[in-house]
Amino acid sequence: MNYDKIITDVIEGYKASPIDMLGIGDASGEYTYLKNLKDSYVRTVRDVDNMFAGDRSCRNILEIGSFLGVVSISLKKLGFNICALDIPEFYKSPALRSLYERNGIPFTGLNLRNSKLPQESKSLDAVVICEVIEHLNFNPLPVLQEINRVLKDEGNIYIGMPNQASLGNRLRLLLGRSIHNPVEDFVKQLDRNDNMIVGLHWREYTLNETIELIMKMGFDIVGKYYFQSAAKHKSNILKAILRKMAYSYPPFRTLQVVIGKKVSVPTCDFWLTDANS
């Protein structure tokens, strides 16, 4: 299966039919962003497809944080039954809703904070949640508990996100610099004319922390690995060689993937207040 071509064709569609999701004239920025994430999209679609060994038409999948829909649309083209979800601010975009509708993908706008997923209990074979958990500015455990609820027994959760212990972060700390977003990004997040509404990484995790998070919520680990996208920037040969050597040590890579299988239902009775959630 040529996953690269599928993803490339979907991304090129945004150049031909721009979305400009927040109506701020950022369609070209959206297209560039999607191109930069192509390797991650290919990885996600390949991994999810491989979960089911070609048995697609009877598989129900939810993508949380579907954004502009590259993963959802690609999985739909492969024959999966897909539904998608993102924040209400994105859902308000007529162009984005139309995109999902044209591709036959049910799309919901929902803030994950203190919200229940709209899917029935034990109705899904997999939930894909990539580049989302690090953006949550609240405790992620209730979200993971909800994902457990909507998954069938032995259903899969697929998580992709940054690796907090990457080489770049280690070097920043060594130099006395922060590994978090610069303070200027706090200003951009509150600017209605800037596409940073959920752009901040409030909390990144190491691979072991991600594993611990989902195991506490009733999952066993069936897959885990570090991932490094191909470099998109120009560099001299020496820098390219050094980068390749550094990333040959997997824990130095910038991204992580964890795949869990639902094996139990958590019995946590979470006490949620305005102060802790």
Side-chain angles (χ1 to χ4, degrees):
M1 179 63 64
N2 191 341
Y3 299 109
D4 188 281
K5 184 179 187 308
I6 292 170
I7 298 296
T8 298
D9 289 347
V10 171
I11 290 175
E12 288 306 306
Y14 296 91
K15 185 176 183 180
S17 302
I19 300 296
D20 189 18
M21 188 165 48
L22 294 177
I24 58 175
D26 194 36
S28 62
E30 292 172 352
Y31 172 67
T32 299
Y33 178 84
L34 297 180
K35 287 202 303 180
N36 288 339
L37 283 181
K38 191 188 83 168
D39 289 347
S40 291
Y41 293 142
V42 171
R43 175 211 73 208
T44 300
V45 171
R46 179 199 66 220
D47 287 353
V48 173
D49 193 30
N50 288 340
M51 285 180 189
F52 303 109
D55 183 15
R56 301 168 179 148
S57 62
C58 62
R59 300 297 184 175
N60 300 314
I61 299 175
L62 166 66
E63 184 186 10
I64 296 176
S66 56
F67 193 50
L68 288 162
V70 173
V71 169
S72 288
I73 293 170
S74 299
L75 290 173
K76 181 70 175 182
K77 289 180 179 294
L78 288 173
F80 289 101
N81 298 316
I82 302 293
C83 50
L85 181 151
D86 216 310
I87 60 173
E89 290 80 1
F90 292 169
Y91 180 79
K92 290 177 182 178
S93 166
L96 187 61
R97 294 199 306 272
S98 176
L99 173 70
Y100 282 107
E101 184 177 355
R102 290 197 306 272
N103 285 278
I105 299 172
F107 179 47
T108 303
L110 181 74
N111 190 321
L112 293 173
R113 184 195 298 269
N114 297 336
S115 295
K116 297 291 185 182
L117 296 174
Q119 284 73 27
E120 296 291 330
S121 298
K122 297 186 177 183
S123 62
L124 300 173
D125 296 286
V127 172
V128 176
I129 179 166
C130 291
E131 315 299 331
V132 172
I133 296 176
E134 71 274 18
H135 294 282
L136 300 181
N137 58 359
F138 51 89
N139 193 315
L141 290 180
V143 175
L144 297 171
Q145 184 181 45
E146 264 297 278
I147 291 173
N148 181 292
R149 179 186 66 81
V150 300
L151 281 170
K152 299 175 183 177
D153 293 339
E154 299 192 348
N156 293 117
I157 181 173
Y158 183 93
I159 298 174
M161 60 178 173
N163 168 30
Q164 188 190 51
S166 67
L167 176 61
N169 281 348
R170 297 183 195 215
L171 292 175
R172 289 183 188 95
L173 286 174
L174 185 64
L175 295 171
R177 295 166 53 192
S178 173
I179 64 171
H180 301 293
N181 285 78
V183 172
E184 178 61 26
D185 284 352
F186 283 48
V187 178
K188 293 179 180 179
Q189 189 204 25
L190 299 177
D191 185 347
R192 63 174 52 88
N193 295 312
D194 203 312
N195 196 353
M196 275 287 291
I197 185 170
V198 286
L200 297 180
H201 288 196
W202 292 101
R203 170 69 154 92
E204 294 183 1
Y205 300 84
T206 67
L207 184 70
N208 286 337
E209 287 178 322
T210 306
I211 290 169
E212 184 179 0
L213 276 176
I214 69 170
M215 288 187 71
K216 286 183 180 298
M217 291 296 101
F219 295 93
D220 273 353
I221 307 304
V222 296
K224 59 180 181 178
Y225 63 91
Y226 296 99
F227 179 77
Q228 185 63 41
S229 296
K232 299 297 193 300
H233 51 82
K234 295 180 180 179
S235 62
N236 62 43
I237 295 176
L238 178 59
K239 286 184 178 179
I241 292 173
L242 291 174
R243 187 179 296 111
K244 184 176 181 180
M245 291 174 60
Y247 290 140
S248 66
Y249 178 57
F252 279 175
R253 296 172 187 170
T254 57
L255 301 168
Q256 60 170 299
V257 171
V258 175
I259 306 170
K261 178 175 69 174
K262 176 179 173 179
V263 294
S264 64
V265 176
T267 57
C268 307
D269 181 16
F270 289 129
W271 177 47
L272 300 179
T273 74
D274 289 341
N276 69 7
S277 61

